[in-house]
Amino acid sequence: MSTNKAVRILFVCHGNICRSPMAEYIMKDLAAKAGRQDSFTIESAAVSSEEEGNPIYPPARRCLSLHGIPFDSSKRARRMTPADYDRFDLVICMDSSNLRWMRRIIGDDPCGKVRLLMGYTGSGRDVADPWYTGDFETTFQDILKGCSALLGSLTER
């Protein structure tokens, strides 16, 4: 990644109401605290259209607030488009199911932009979906670890 332009990162999960917006705002907060907010453009999207137009899920919002992570309350879920592959330098998925769904949207990954978030921590495991587990804290901690490792990998260049 070039250091003279903002690195464009898209976080992706199933519905864009829990994990990917949490990752978007955690990463923005980490970048700001590192004084690197101008080094990144960070957004999030879904592989599904099920939640399109809906706000961040209230328990996810509460979890972000509990940890002092600022977020845009007007954010609405959107579905990823094929054009996003060209717009972003990195497309970071929360789980392997997201990877499969994404392939239906963008096709192949010839530029090697698509990655699992937890891969940055040395683990290939998924970030559990709190919509199903109800455990937003564990999801938050996983995303925080993944985003911290991602930020480290991008700022050491």
Side-chain angles (χ1 to χ4, degrees):
M1 309 289 149
S2 173
T3 56
N4 59 1
K5 70 173 184 104
V7 176
R8 297 161 303 190
I9 304 168
L10 181 67
F11 290 103
V12 179
C13 72
H14 184 78
N16 192 217
I17 60 168
C18 296
R19 293 172 294 172
S20 61
M22 288 173 78
E24 174 183 349
Y25 292 109
I26 289 169
M27 187 68 172
K28 285 179 177 178
D29 187 63
L30 289 170
K33 286 176 178 168
R36 301 290 306 264
Q37 63 271 20
D38 295 337
S39 300
F40 303 99
T41 298
I42 304 163
E43 296 180 26
S44 63
V47 292
S48 164
S49 60
E50 292 170 34
E51 299 290 345
E52 206 162 12
N54 288 333
I56 301 172
Y57 191 50
R61 291 166 64 124
R62 281 192 295 276
C63 190
L64 289 170
S65 293
L66 177 69
H67 288 281
I69 306 293
F71 60 89
D72 180 355
S73 60
S74 68
K75 177 171 178 56
R76 295 293 180 258
R78 75 169 184 89
R79 185 169 190 245
M80 183 182 185
T81 67
D84 285 327
Y85 187 80
D86 294 326
R87 269 188 64 221
F88 291 92
D89 301 308
L90 290 171
V91 181
I92 309 296
C93 295
M94 297 297 121
D95 66 39
S96 51
S97 172
N98 303 152
L99 287 172
R100 289 189 299 276
W101 279 69
M102 187 187 308
R103 297 278 188 229
R104 296 179 194 142
I105 298 168
I106 65 166
D108 290 332
D109 178 21
C111 300
K113 297 178 179 187
V114 178
R115 311 220 176 107
L116 282 173
L117 178 62
M118 295 309 285
Y120 287 94
T121 68
S123 165
R125 70 180 176 80
D126 294 343
V127 174
D129 191 339
W131 175 265
Y132 299 106
T133 67
D135 187 352
F136 285 82
E137 182 59 28
T138 295
T139 296
F140 177 90
Q141 293 301 327
D142 280 350
I143 293 171
L144 179 61
K145 285 176 196 155
C147 286
S148 295
L150 170 60
L151 181 62
S153 77
L154 295 173
T155 56
E156 65 190 29
R157 294 173 189 263

